[in-house]
Amino acid sequence: MGEAQERVFEPATGDGPATPDPKGTRTGQVRTAYEGMLQIRRLTRSTCADPEGAPAPWELHRPVRAVALALEAAGTTPSAVGPSGERTATGYRVCENDRPGSVRVEWVGPPGSGAVHDEGEALAGCAEVLRRLGWTVLLYRGARKRRFLEVEPPSAVRS
């Protein structure tokens, strides 16, 4: 098996290394994965008035991956971490939430990056992207008054 065949595309969750894309390879992979997601929606929800308007069953089983893909495909910048686990870039972070079936989206960055000052506007942009794709998005304030999004599928499509 060649090196390209051994790699599996994973959307950026904001908890991995930075993904530089000097040749545009990553951009193409993201576009292909996103179009695949929309095609799965069209095929699995073909009887719905708007088949692309809500998450497909596979998204419900992998919500972190689905939400991260939606944000990355929209051009939203993911955060990144270095080899020691330190934040190296400001952007979104998608992780599991304490409620099953929902995910948490935060706007994070390295100390002194100003992420806290940008989080309101940045999270509003994330919420807009996710709502267009049919996710239910709620804004909360957590510890130290940091804002975050709780993202879940609409009640009509929950399994």
Side-chain angles (χ1 to χ4, degrees), residues 10-77:
E10 287 295 330
T13 63
D15 279 337
T19 53
D21 192 20
K23 296 180 183 176
T25 304
R26 175 93 185 158
T27 302
Q29 292 171 334
V30 171
R31 184 175 40 254
T32 299
Y34 182 74
E35 289 302 322
M37 182 187 76
L38 294 179
Q39 182 63 13
I40 290 169
R41 283 182 173 201
R42 287 188 290 270
L43 292 172
T44 60
R45 303 183 75 250
S46 61
T47 60
C48 299
D50 180 13
E52 293 181 9
W58 82 264
E59 293 173 83
L60 304 181
H61 298 290
R62 296 168 191 82
V64 169
R65 183 182 173 116
V67 167
L69 175 58
L71 293 174
E72 189 173 3
T76 310
T77 304

Side-chain angles (χ1 to χ4, degrees), residues 96-109:
E96 290 186 16
N97 200 16
D98 51 359
R99 287 193 23 214
S102 70
V103 298
R104 181 179 177 122
V105 178
E106 305 168 323
W107 194 258
V108 295

Side-chain angles (χ1 to χ4, degrees), residues 135-146:
W135 292 95
T136 299
V137 182
L138 302 169
L139 176 66
Y140 290 100
R141 278 195 190 268
R144 294 172 291 204
K145 299 189 180 196
R146 292 294 307 262

